[in-house]
């Protein structure tokens, strides 16, 4: 039987993961643009939640890149 809705290939999953990470980073930027001079506890909580989401989507993007064979070694410099 033919699958009417074939699974997305690894490249499409990577594109979707990259888009999700971009959206999460934009949400952090939007938050920082409207952040008051003196953040209150709700602002700190929202920021923590946004950072958690951004980190998760980054991890998802990296995992998707690995699945497509786009594994990159450390980008850290040995200079220090």
């Amino acid at each position: 039987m033919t699958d009417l809705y074939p699974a997305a290939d690894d490249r499409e999953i990577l594109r979707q993961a990259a888009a999700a990470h971009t959206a999460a980073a934009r949400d952090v930027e939007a938050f920082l643009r409207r952040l008051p001079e003196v953040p209150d506890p709700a602002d700190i909580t929202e920021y923590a939640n946004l950072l958690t989401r951004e980190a998760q989507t980054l991890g998802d993007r990296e995992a998707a890149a690995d699945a497509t064979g786009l594994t990159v070694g450390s980008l850290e410099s040995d200079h220090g």
Side-chain angles (χ1 to χ4, degrees), residues 6 9 13 15-16 20 22-23 31 39 43 45 47 51 63 69 75 77 79-80:
D9 70 12
I13 292 168
R15 287 187 286 270
Q16 291 171 4
T22 298
F31 169 82
D43 294 321
T45 299
Y47 184 58
L51 289 181
L75 298 176
S77 172
H79 302 91

Side-chain angles (χ1 to χ4, degrees), residues 39-51:
D40 64 23
D43 294 321
I44 295 167
T45 299
E46 182 178 358
Y47 184 58
N49 289 334
L50 289 167
L51 289 181

Side-chain angles (χ1 to χ4, degrees), residues 8-74:
D9 70 12
D10 289 340
R11 293 170 302 145
E12 180 57 26
I13 292 168
L14 175 55
R15 287 187 286 270
Q16 291 171 4
H21 182 252
T22 298
R26 285 185 179 146
D27 288 347
V28 171
E29 179 188 4
F31 169 82
L32 295 173
R33 289 186 182 280
R34 64 178 164 71
L35 183 66
E37 189 172 323
V38 179
D40 64 23
D43 294 321
I44 295 167
T45 299
E46 182 178 358
Y47 184 58
N49 289 334
L50 289 167
L51 289 181
T52 299
R53 181 172 155 244
E54 183 184 22
Q56 178 62 52
T57 59
L58 175 60
D60 294 346
R61 189 194 76 199
E62 290 172 341
D66 288 347
T68 65
L70 288 174
T71 304
V72 178
S74 175

